[in-house]
Amino acid sequence: MGLPLEGVRVIDVSSTLMGPYSTMLLAQWGAEVVKVEPPGGDVVRKIGDVRGTSMGPAFLNVNRGKRSVLLDLKQDRGRDVLDRLVAGTDIVVHNLRPSAAERLNLSADAVLRTNPRAVYCAFRGFGAGGPYENRPAYDDVIQAASGMAAVQGGADGAAYVRTAAADKIVGLMGAAAVLAALRGRDATGEGQVVEVPMLETMTGFMLLEQQGGWVFDPPAGPWGVRPHGVTAPAAVPDEGRVSGRDDLHG
């Protein structure tokens, strides 16, 4: 058997971690992913780039399995090439703010005019139509705004999770949403539009158990009580340590 997404083509106009992580998963599942980079390349190329090759480890990990093309989308020639790529693809992914997407001819309307069967996925910091829709956002901003940092720190104050948790969780959600939209496109023959806002996605992720008694109206108890009663980081008990590893899944 081949990989499940063989024959599916993705144009990836995203940068940093969230969008590229999502499209990396699609590539691992068999899709052909073409990453569109601006002059100078994705900024993540420089992170940890000890050899000075613009091929840092984070960039390599989150973009493995992709092809790459450099396009200056601020120029007519670059946008023309992108239009030709979009016309022959199944999925278009970007993480531009709505105003920037409009300027670069990457709004949902523009993409679906070029390719009415495309699945269009826009990763954003904040949901379109809201008061912050054009504000930029990074992982640490969303960890704080969604409540993740508050839960992680507990009574000692807010603390960030020591990984780009928001970027990766939202990237996973985006990959799932794109696959659902692709199924809808194949069933109807019509293009689909997917929006994946970081704040709203992470807030829903955190409220799954942290909403606690506030699920009910009126509230039936406090918020922030997890099913097993742990609301802050805790040391792993000795019986959970196996061969020097913290492992509580056994």
Side-chain angles (χ1 to χ4, degrees):
M1 291 180 62
L3 293 171
L5 293 186
E6 285 183 2
V8 173
R9 194 177 197 200
V10 181
I11 302 302
D12 177 9
V13 199
S14 66
S15 61
T16 60
L17 290 178
M18 175 176 52
Y21 180 71
S22 185
T23 55
M24 179 271 288
L25 295 173
L26 300 179
Q28 295 297 292
W29 298 332
E32 176 194 4
V33 180
V34 178
K35 181 177 175 67
V36 176
E37 297 188 63
D42 190 325
V43 295
V44 177
R45 284 181 173 273
K46 302 293 186 182
I47 297 176
D49 179 25
V50 295
R51 298 187 300 174
T53 60
S54 294
M55 297 287 279
F59 175 82
L60 290 174
N61 275 327
V62 84
N63 290 292
R64 63 183 185 267
K66 304 177 188 178
R67 301 166 65 189
S68 180
V69 60
L70 187 154
L71 294 178
D72 186 351
L73 299 183
K74 295 179 181 179
Q75 304 295 325
D76 290 343
R77 183 179 179 185
R79 289 194 296 272
D80 288 344
V81 173
L82 181 62
D83 282 346
R84 293 201 297 271
L85 291 173
V86 167
T89 198
D90 297 287
I91 301 167
V92 177
V93 176
H94 74 77
N95 63 345
L96 300 164
R97 285 177 282 169
S99 57
E102 193 74 38
R103 288 196 305 271
L104 298 177
N105 207 34
L106 271 170
S107 67
D109 288 344
V111 167
L112 291 178
R113 277 197 303 269
T114 302
N115 183 348
R117 284 178 49 83
V119 170
Y120 174 91
C121 176
F123 285 96
R124 293 186 174 131
F126 306 93
Y132 304 130
E133 67 173 347
N134 269 311
R135 294 193 180 185
Y138 288 94
D139 181 272
D140 50 359
V141 171
I142 300 302
Q143 283 199 38
S146 68
M148 174 173 270
V151 170
Q152 180 74 8
D156 296 327
Y160 292 125
V161 179
R162 294 180 181 178
T163 184
D167 278 334
K168 289 186 278 188
I169 290 168
V170 178
L172 280 165
M173 296 289 193
V178 162
L179 294 180
L182 189 64
R183 172 68 178 86
R185 191 284 304 269
D186 290 345
T188 66
E190 298 179 354
Q192 307 286 316
V193 176
V194 176
E195 180 188 87
V196 191
M198 294 182 76
L199 177 63
E200 288 81 351
T201 301
M202 284 303 299
T203 299
F205 181 85
M206 293 304 301
L207 287 179
L208 182 67
E209 83 287 354
Q210 293 296 333
Q211 197 170 6
W214 284 65
V215 168
F216 305 99
D217 185 18
W223 66 271
V225 178
R226 290 170 63 180
H228 46 73
V230 178
T231 57
V236 177
D238 288 340
E239 59 268 24
R241 300 181 185 273
V242 179
S243 301
R245 296 173 51 206
D246 295 344
D247 187 350
L248 294 181
H249 298 289

